[in-house]
Amino acid sequence: MVVSCSAVGCANRFTKGDGLKYHCFPRDPERKERWIARMRREGWRPTEDDRLCSAHFINGKSNDPLSVDYLPSIFEFVPSPKKRKLKADAERYEQRQSLKKQRQDNVRVKEAAKALLMIAEPPEKPHSSSSNSQPPDQDTTSTSSLSSNNKINIFIGPPSPTSNDLADPDEAPITPDLHMEIAALRRENLALKQELLKVTITKESLMQNPAKLKFFTGLSHITILEAVIEFLEPLLPDLGKLSKFQQIIVTLIKLRLNVGHQLIAYQFGVHASTISKHLHNVVSLMYTVLVPEVIRWPECEQLRNTLPMCFRATFPKCAVIIDCFEVQVEKASDQTANAQTYSQYKSRNTLKYLIGISPLGAVTFISKGWGGRTSDKYITENSGFLRHLVPGDVVMADRGFFIEESVAMQGAKLEIPAFTRGKSQLDKREVESTRKLASVRIHVERVIGTIRQKYQVLQGPLELTFTVPDAEENVMLYDKMVHVACALTNLSKPIVPSD
């Protein structure tokens, strides 16, 4: 069998004497996935016969995770400046390894010197004033002879220690040049750590940079992220490729930026299918355990206690402000589905959601997605919204919600702007009531705008794969994502001030 390199654009084949080595892909799953990601072969998976030649490593494959050659880095698509930087990194690594070896040799020299002194030192003899004791000159001569013999007969491996080493064996022979090298390495290590925090998404980097936290997650403070992680971590499976923290961050990045799975996969060094799997798992978990805790219909007493000042004088019994928003979706090949999702108002295919907020601006109700063709009235009457109303509640809506009778059947009252149809103009009372209503009803549009701005997954266009209902819960993945986005928005500061 001819052994050849699997890298894109590499024509190297095994030839005896060419000096190249052909490496198998690592057995460690994480390292193997990082090798594959470095090769940039979309949808390709290596077999047992696939090899990668040593031309894609700087100094040859290394099993040290700190080495540049722990992963392949030299490919035809890598720009020359980056290759030069990688070679410079490899040279610094080799220098550090050489320095480390030198320090180890120094330690061995010290140990050998200690052993030599212990053997060469004569045993202490008790002092005697007897006339039979040897003269001092004879003792000195004999000790010197013993020391000399021991030095000759003992093999210590490294070169013999110098006189300075023997004089103080506990001190390491660190020269001024070595001190300077150590200080330089420490400064370089600190600089690399700072650079790593800038380009990686870790808890520490998000804590140090609030703007980075808001950009990637949409959350306003690190304590909110910590609370979400603490709530979800015990329920998340430990799949190995991504930590539980990374699984949550991957999901928040998708909701926040609505970027492709492949882009997120490159950022975290995994396959795009891994990102898709974690996204489904975490969104479903958030929809099951987080959304019911955060999106709640408040009790009447709670509504009255938190009613903002702008409502107290004009609408003291306001329970909810409702509106619908639409998200563009890809055109379906099925004509029936295409007709159901086509919105006359938007002139494109959309999904429509009914949202209800409390006077304070918190999302208290969000429906499932309906086709853009569905009327606001039909969604309101069939989404389960009406069963939350109690007698005496006031519901605020726009002119398009013809639900006065449905709301009245629950003992509640509908407040909508006055109609101008058939009138030359509104009377003073209607103008004033419409103005007051519009000044507070605008808050629901502000909430919708905030959710769309924070989580761009609500801006569309939406892929049809997200509209496939789940087999167990019969809920679309996109419905879950919309509910989760609303729940995460509720964790931020209220839009309407209470005073």
Side-chain angles (χ1 to χ4, degrees), residues 415-464:
E415 290 283 356
I416 59 175
F419 286 94
T420 58
R421 184 180 300 175
K423 302 178 182 179
S424 58
Q425 65 180 16
L426 300 176
D427 57 37
K428 292 182 179 180
R429 183 180 58 82
E430 290 176 330
V431 170
E432 183 63 19
S433 64
T434 299
R435 184 188 65 79
K436 291 179 180 180
L437 179 61
S439 66
V440 292
R441 199 198 66 80
I442 192 66
H443 294 315
V444 70
E445 297 180 9
R446 291 178 60 202
V447 171
I448 294 173
T450 299
I451 299 173
R452 285 178 178 272
Q453 182 182 9
K454 281 191 174 184
Y455 299 101
Q456 296 180 18
V457 74
L458 271 69
Q459 295 183 9
L462 175 64
E463 299 177 11
L464 289 176

Side-chain angles (χ1 to χ4, degrees), residues 174-214:
I174 301 180
T175 63
D177 291 340
L178 193 56
H179 273 298
M180 294 176 62
E181 180 70 18
I182 292 173
L185 288 174
R186 287 175 177 171
R187 289 194 298 269
E188 181 185 355
N189 186 33
L190 181 60
L192 289 174
K193 286 182 178 178
Q194 295 297 328
E195 290 297 323
L196 191 62
L197 283 177
K198 293 179 182 178
V199 300
T200 57
I201 304 175
T202 62
K203 188 175 181 180
E204 291 74 17
S205 66
L206 297 178
M207 289 178 64
Q208 294 182 12
N209 193 340
K212 186 176 182 179
L213 170 69
K214 186 175 182 180

Side-chain angles (χ1 to χ4, degrees), residues 286-325:
M286 287 182 168
Y287 177 77
T288 304
V289 300
L290 181 64
V291 170
E293 294 293 329
V294 180
I295 300 180
R296 290 184 174 184
W297 190 277
E299 300 292 337
C300 292
E301 183 178 355
Q302 185 179 4
L303 281 171
R304 303 298 174 262
N305 293 336
T306 60
L307 196 67
M309 291 298 297
C310 57
F311 284 85
R312 292 180 183 178
T314 52
F315 304 101
K317 294 185 178 181
C318 178
V320 64
I321 310 172
I322 61 173
D323 202 355
C324 284
F325 67 90

Side-chain angles (χ1 to χ4, degrees), residues 120-139:
E121 185 179 3
E124 294 184 2
K125 296 182 179 180
H127 179 72
S128 175
S129 59
S130 171
S131 60
N132 295 330
S133 60
Q134 293 181 345
D137 292 344
Q138 186 176 354
D139 267 347

Side-chain angles (χ1 to χ4, degrees), residues 395-404 414-419 433-434 437 441:
V395 179
M396 292 185 179
D398 200 5
R399 291 189 181 94
F401 286 83
F402 304 104
I403 56 172
E404 187 172 3
L414 178 67
E415 290 283 356
I416 59 175
F419 286 94
S433 64
T434 299
L437 179 61
R441 199 198 66 80

